[in-house]
Amino acid sequence: MPDILATCHCGAVTLRLPAAPARITQCNCSLCRRYGVLWAYYPIAEIGIAATSPTDTYAWNGRHVDFHRCATCGCLTHWHPRKAGRETLGINARLLDPALLAAAEIHYKDTAGTGLFH
């Protein structure tokens, strides 16, 4: 099966995924709900990230992950963990073809409240 590509609006950032996500997560934490993202999680070693220029990053309160966005068009592309040893990153699934999103199961994570999946 060919690699799946996720791209920002202008195409300056491309993420090469090994497969379409079977499951995506909608998180309602204070940051994710403002970003309006759906997350697809992959092992870091399986993702290829190419950018024509460096991405801008943001780490809320300097905490656990760096959120990356295209410096040209502003699309949030992914988050990458800050802690050594973490092996998973999150891809903004909204950068994928809409047909791939329609085929994925959406899980809702109540990070703003219970911390549980619904």
Side-chain angles (χ1 to χ4, degrees):
M1 178 171 196
D3 289 338
I4 303 296
L5 298 179
T7 62
C8 65
H9 190 259
C10 73
V13 179
T14 300
L15 301 115
R16 186 173 303 278
L17 314 178
R23 175 181 172 159
I24 52 180
T25 300
Q26 180 177 320
C27 174
N28 69 350
C29 77
S30 63
L31 194 57
C32 292
R33 70 179 175 83
R34 286 177 171 89
Y35 282 151
V37 297
L38 294 171
W39 295 114
Y41 303 109
Y42 291 91
I44 294 169
E46 294 181 7
I47 302 300
I49 301 172
T52 57
S53 61
T55 57
D56 290 331
T57 61
Y58 173 72
W60 179 66
N61 216 10
R63 293 201 178 159
H64 306 287
V65 300
D66 287 322
F67 292 91
H68 291 255
R69 70 175 184 87
C70 174
T72 303
C73 68
C75 286
L76 184 72
T77 56
H78 65 288
W79 63 257
H80 196 280
R82 290 181 146 213
K83 185 179 179 183
R86 283 188 64 185
E87 298 177 355
T88 303
L89 60 74
I91 300 297
N92 180 0
R94 293 202 184 271
L95 302 181
L96 295 165
D97 184 287
L100 295 175
L101 289 182
E105 181 181 356
I106 298 178
H107 287 250
Y108 299 92
K109 185 168 187 190
D110 183 20
T111 307
T114 65
L116 301 174
F117 283 96
H118 300 279

